[in-house]
């Protein structure tokens, strides 16, 4: 019964600390780094090599559907909340995704 309850509330993706996220990203061949903040936030500063896919935009689901499901995606936002929502959605669509706990500020420099 306890395992059932654990699995009932288990996230379908992993949320990683900044150092775990960066290490896993750098070790994953063909990984894609997605910044799910708004274009204005993205322009104000992003992690090098990241692509912008605004989770709050009206076209998010359509754009997400065009992503390559054979790749692994590492998502971040400002605090980890929006990227968590995007991870939940994408994982339900069959994508392999990871969330950066604490957002962009947690990315090790």
């Amino acid at each position: 019964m306890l395992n059932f309850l654990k699995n009932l509330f288990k996230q379908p993706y992993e949320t990683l600390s900044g150092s775990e996220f960066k290490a896993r990203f750098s070790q994953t061949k063909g990984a894609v780094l997605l910044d799910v903040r708004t274009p204005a936030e993205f322009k104000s500063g992003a992690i090098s090599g990241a692509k912008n896919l605004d989770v709050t935009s009206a076209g998010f689901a359509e754009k997400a559907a065009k992503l390559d499901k054979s790749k692994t995606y590492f998502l971040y936002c400002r605090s980890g909340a929006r990227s968590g929502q995007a991870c939940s959605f994408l994982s339900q669509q069959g994508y392999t995704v990871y969330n950066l706990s604490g957002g962009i500020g947690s990315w090790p420099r």
Side-chain angles (χ1 to χ4, degrees):
M1 178 71 167
L2 187 56
N3 282 337
F4 170 76
L5 290 175
K6 278 185 187 178
N7 290 334
L8 183 64
F9 296 105
K10 185 178 178 185
Q11 290 181 331
Y13 61 90
E14 282 186 76
T15 295
L16 305 172
S17 71
S19 57
E20 292 172 310
F21 186 90
K22 187 174 185 178
R24 183 102 39 113
F25 173 70
S26 64
Q27 295 167 357
T28 305
K29 185 177 181 176
V32 177
L33 188 59
L34 288 180
D35 183 325
V36 298
R37 300 176 300 160
T38 66
E41 289 175 298
F42 183 74
K43 286 179 185 173
S44 73
I47 298 171
S48 179
K51 297 178 192 298
N52 187 222
L53 181 59
D54 181 2
V55 69
T56 64
S57 72
F60 175 77
E62 292 79 25
K63 290 176 183 173
K66 295 177 183 174
L67 295 173
D68 183 347
K69 286 189 178 177
S70 70
K71 296 190 180 280
T72 301
Y73 296 89
F74 290 78
L75 283 67
Y76 72 91
C77 63
R78 183 181 53 81
S79 68
R82 286 177 284 175
S83 54
Q85 292 171 345
C87 280
S88 181
F89 174 79
L90 291 172
S91 65
Q92 290 173 11
Q93 306 306 310
Y95 294 91
T96 302
V97 293
Y98 293 94
N99 184 33
L100 175 57
S101 176
I104 191 171
S106 299
W107 178 264
R109 303 202 183 265

